[in-house]
Amino acid sequence: MNRELLLNFAIGLGLPLVAGVALLLDEPFVVTLATRVAILGLAGVGLNLALGLGGLVSFGHAVFFGIGGYAVGVLASHAQLYTPVMTWPFEISGSSSMPAIWLVAIVASALAGLLIGALSLRTSGVYFIMITLAFGQMAYYFAISWPAYGGEDGLSIYVRNSFPRLNTLVPFDFFVVAYCVLLCAILLFSRVAISPFGLALNATRQNLARVQSVGIETYRLQLTAFVLSAVITGLAGALYADLNRYVSPSMLSWTISGEIMIFVILGGVGRTWAPVLGAAVFVILEQWLGGVSEYWQIFLGVILLAVVLFARGGLYGMIAGEARHHG
Amino acid sequence: MTASLILEQLLNGVQFGVMIFLMAAGLTLVFGVMGLINLAHGSLYMIGAFASAAVAAFTGSFFWGLAASLAAAAAAGVLVEALVMRRLYDRDHLDQVLATFALILIFSEGTRWVFGSFPLYLDIPEVLSGAVPIPGGGQYPVYRLCIIFVGLAVGVLLYWLIHHTRLGIRIRAGENDREMIDALGVNISKLYTAVFAIGAALAGLAGAMVGAIQSVQVGMGEPVLILAFVVIVIGGIGSIRGAFIGSLLVGVTDTMGRFLLPEFFRLFFDPAGATAAGSAIASMAIYLLMAVVLIFRPSGLFGARRVES
């Protein structure tokens, strides 16, 4: 058993262990922190699919995160007021059931991913970074200036949405939901990474021209990866809104895009469990440094800078060495 | 809606445009010459604004503040280049994005630490306050006209610098083939520092000038940074001319969109709905403009038609 596998197990088992021990010690705040790690890690896993496998440096993943969040906010607010979301061409009523909301979040973020991806993938490299960033800002300003769903103030979700057989208002139950979704995404990621699609995608990152020259349509390949990545991040956004019971345009802001990217890079680009490790370290730093100083982000900045400059390959690279498939 | 109101909005658009140009010019130079994507460019803008507000408050002179903004931003630029950027030239864009994102955190929180969370205010100097009449019977602030003038002057100066000086020749050569000019005996490291300092000083200048119109606060740089990105994408990376035309396009589109779209929607909807729809769509107008440019010219209006590897 190699070190990467060991580390994967350590993270995969450690997270529910922490939540479980916290439950026994009656520390609901720690359970909520573990849930936060699972959800932010999920968003990172989504980005890792585009960024790690496909080399698509998207600086606009907050769009999908926010769309997932707004799917929750909009549906739940309509469910509360018993008004339909739309009546034409077909009627959609509000909902407070998580699986139904997730479906909407998935469809909405897939559509957004398709649109943004189709336009952004016409370019590459640094243009791609700037364009995804710009589309992210576009969604942000739209959310601020569109008054129907709270505008700048956002939407409160008064009761956390329900999941069959669980009481999601109990922190540990909600952790279980979030963790299971994370596991599914991790499974999907690891399957995709070794599938023919994933291998071809990995090859486009290494040498686009060669992949094209063997007759693979790289544009469609990258677009598929981008949409898949958007969907996972959108789902994370839906869970995040339920965690905070609040959604606002700040979920769409570009710093969120940056933070999701930090999870991936801090953990180690392209490694399956790395975004979860990155998110865990981020949340721990946030709690710890936030207690030390009001200006904790300075220290976060310094740590990040050190990781980029001196620890290439992120924490996974430091602990488990170079990735086998990541050239 | 009168002709003078439209002219006033148009001038506002141009003023907004030239201000973005000061940001975009530095970004595009740094990217074109060094292949570096610098998110912390917005922080240099913020540093310029804060330096100018602090020095102007201390000396009582706006122009000392302006000089301080240039000096502070250029100094911060040189420092950042020497300490951080130099290690990033050979890295991929991902590392550059993350490292400069970290720099934003450091600069923003550091500024908050020093100056507090409350915004500072910078007064327009006595000489430049007041308004001049414009055709159609309106009045337009002298200060904003000055910004337009400074922006245009910087544009001309940069054009001259790049096309008619030795430094400009080296910058252009550096864009084409950095190894070759290194081999020809040009000190590439000094050249990079110089380019970075020029870009930083322009960003600081923009921050100081805008500081007198808006409030000077932490986080003021990032929205402008993102607009500068949009401009660069529209104009084409590395092209000063593209940045200039892109900036004016973006500035005018944004200002006129916010002004005209709600009016336009009022023809069809009730006033409240028209304002909401108009302002929502106006806030997206420049991004739609960018999308349209991308569809027809993926590497921007004046970008070199080369595929980045």
Side-chain angles (χ1 to χ4, degrees), chain A residues 165-218:
Chain A
R165 291 167 194 280
L166 288 174
N167 179 2
T168 51
L169 280 170
V170 175
F172 191 76
D173 284 23
F174 188 59
F175 170 78
V176 171
V177 173
Y179 186 70
C180 288
V181 176
L182 173 68
L183 279 186
C184 292
I186 293 269
L187 193 70
L188 179 76
F189 183 93
S190 56
R191 291 279 99 191
V192 164
I194 53 168
S195 68
F197 164 74
L199 294 176
L201 187 65
N202 220 328
T204 61
R205 179 173 54 78
Q206 291 166 20
N207 195 329
L208 192 71
R210 275 198 198 174
V211 179
Q212 281 168 342
S213 70
V214 294
I216 294 176
E217 272 245 39
T218 53

Side-chain angles (χ1 to χ4, degrees), chain B:
Chain B
M1 193 168 24
T2 59
S4 72
L5 195 58
I6 294 179
L7 184 64
E8 193 185 322
Q9 292 294 335
L10 202 62
L11 282 172
N12 276 344
V14 172
Q15 178 255 309
F16 188 38
V18 297
M19 191 213 62
I20 305 172
F21 169 68
L22 291 181
M23 284 285 283
L27 266 183
T28 205
L29 266 182
V30 166
F31 186 81
V33 179
M34 312 177 205
L36 181 92
I37 174 166
N38 178 20
L39 296 181
H41 207 66
S43 298
L44 299 169
Y45 171 89
M46 180 187 71
I47 287 172
F50 270 94
S52 123
V55 170
F58 183 71
T59 61
S61 159
F62 176 82
F63 297 99
W64 277 116
L66 212 57
S69 76
L70 282 170
V78 169
L79 199 69
V80 162
E81 200 273 342
L83 290 180
V84 179
M85 300 304 177
R86 228 169 249 183
R87 301 168 196 273
L88 293 170
Y89 294 137
D90 300 330
R91 302 288 194 86
D92 59 14
H93 296 316
L94 190 60
D95 284 348
Q96 299 172 351
V97 164
L98 197 70
T100 50
F101 186 80
L103 283 177
I104 292 183
L105 294 180
I106 296 172
F107 277 127
S108 292
E109 288 303 300
T111 311
R112 206 194 302 279
W113 202 347
V114 175
F115 289 96
S117 299
F118 293 103
L120 302 181
Y121 294 95
L122 186 59
D123 291 325
I124 295 174
E126 200 75 20
V127 199
L128 301 176
S129 60
V132 286
I134 49 172
Q139 297 268 320
Y140 199 76
V142 176
Y143 185 71
R144 283 180 186 258
L145 280 180
C146 273
I147 294 187
I148 296 178
F149 175 75
V150 170
L152 296 179
V154 167
V156 172
L157 204 67
L158 273 180
Y159 181 84
W160 171 77
L161 179 82
I162 290 190
H163 291 273
H164 297 284
T165 65
R166 186 150 287 270
L167 181 65
I169 293 174
R170 288 179 174 168
I171 289 174
R172 278 181 289 146
E175 282 181 33
N176 280 326
D177 194 333
R178 68 190 72 175
E179 280 171 16
M180 188 53 96
I181 74 158
D182 199 18
L184 287 173
V186 174
N187 186 339
I188 195 107
S189 167
K190 267 193 189 150
L191 177 71
Y192 281 5
T193 311
V195 169
F196 207 88
I198 293 172
L202 289 180
L205 178 66
M209 287 198 305
V210 169
I213 308 181
Q214 298 164 356
S215 58
V216 176
Q217 56 190 336
V218 173
M220 66 188 286
E222 280 67 47
V224 189
L225 171 82
I226 290 161
L227 287 179
F229 278 160
V230 171
V231 161
I232 290 176
V233 167
I234 289 176
I237 289 174
S239 160
I240 292 282
R241 188 166 51 142
F244 188 73
I245 291 174
S247 300
L248 290 183
L249 264 178
V250 164
V252 171
T253 307
D254 189 64
T255 310
M256 292 314 266
R258 280 173 209 282
F259 170 58
L260 291 177
L261 277 174
E263 298 279 339
F264 176 72
F265 280 107
R266 219 157 278 161
L267 300 175
F268 308 101
F269 303 118
D270 61 292
T275 310
S279 60
I281 294 180
S283 69
M284 308 201 312
I286 52 171
Y287 304 102
L288 296 176
L289 174 73
M290 180 187 75
V292 171
V293 169
L294 272 183
I295 289 167
F296 295 105
R297 307 270 312 220
S299 52
L301 294 176
F302 297 93
R305 290 186 169 273
R306 57 164 183 222
V307 180
E308 240 190 291
S309 58

Side-chain angles (χ1 to χ4, degrees), chain A residues 12-266:
Chain A
L13 295 176
L15 198 57
L17 200 68
V18 167
V21 169
L23 177 73
L24 292 178
L25 298 176
D26 198 27
E27 293 270 6
F29 181 65
V30 178
V31 179
T32 303
L33 282 187
T35 316
R36 216 172 117 81
V37 169
I39 293 171
L40 294 178
L42 178 67
V45 171
L47 178 63
N48 203 12
L49 209 130
L51 179 72
L53 296 184
L56 304 171
V57 184
S58 164
F59 209 146
H61 259 51
V63 175
F64 314 120
F65 198 65
I67 283 178
Y70 268 97
V72 174
V74 169
L75 287 173
S77 73
H78 279 285
Q80 221 160 37
L81 302 169
Y82 300 102
T83 50
V85 178
M86 54 193 252
T87 49
W88 186 89
F90 41 83
E91 188 169 318
I92 295 179
S93 61
S95 171
S96 61
S97 159
M98 277 190 197
I101 289 175
W102 291 350
L103 191 67
V104 174
I106 285 171
V107 172
S109 41
L111 287 176
L114 195 64
L115 192 70
I116 293 177
L119 281 169
S120 308
L121 282 169
R122 292 176 58 82
T123 63
S124 62
V126 72
Y127 275 98
F128 187 82
I129 302 176
M130 294 182 186
I131 284 160
T132 46
L133 180 60
F135 278 123
Q137 282 308 97
M138 170 171 141
Y140 175 68
Y141 286 120
F142 181 78
I144 282 187
S145 54
W146 186 248
Y149 292 107
E152 209 162 344
D153 300 330
L155 276 174
S156 283
I157 300 153
Y158 294 100
V159 181
R160 193 173 281 162
N161 295 301
S162 62
F163 194 85
R165 291 167 194 280
L166 288 174
N167 179 2
T168 51
L169 280 170
V170 175
F172 191 76
D173 284 23
F174 188 59
F175 170 78
V176 171
V177 173
Y179 186 70
C180 288
V181 176
L182 173 68
L183 279 186
C184 292
I186 293 269
L187 193 70
L188 179 76
F189 183 93
S190 56
R191 291 279 99 191
V192 164
I194 53 168
S195 68
F197 164 74
L199 294 176
L201 187 65
N202 220 328
T204 61
R205 179 173 54 78
Q206 291 166 20
N207 195 329
L208 192 71
R210 275 198 198 174
V211 179
Q212 281 168 342
S213 70
V214 294
I216 294 176
E217 272 245 39
T218 53
Y219 180 79
R220 271 161 63 183
L221 203 68
Q222 291 176 325
L223 188 57
T224 313
F226 194 79
V227 171
L228 208 55
S229 155
V231 163
I232 297 175
T233 304
L235 202 53
L239 285 167
Y240 194 71
D242 254 330
L243 175 72
N244 298 328
R245 282 185 278 161
Y246 174 64
V247 51
S248 75
S250 67
M251 266 181 86
L252 291 156
S253 79
W254 73 288
T255 46
I256 295 284
S257 297
E259 279 172 17
I260 299 177
M261 206 184 249
I262 287 174
F263 306 149
V264 176
I265 301 172
L266 194 61

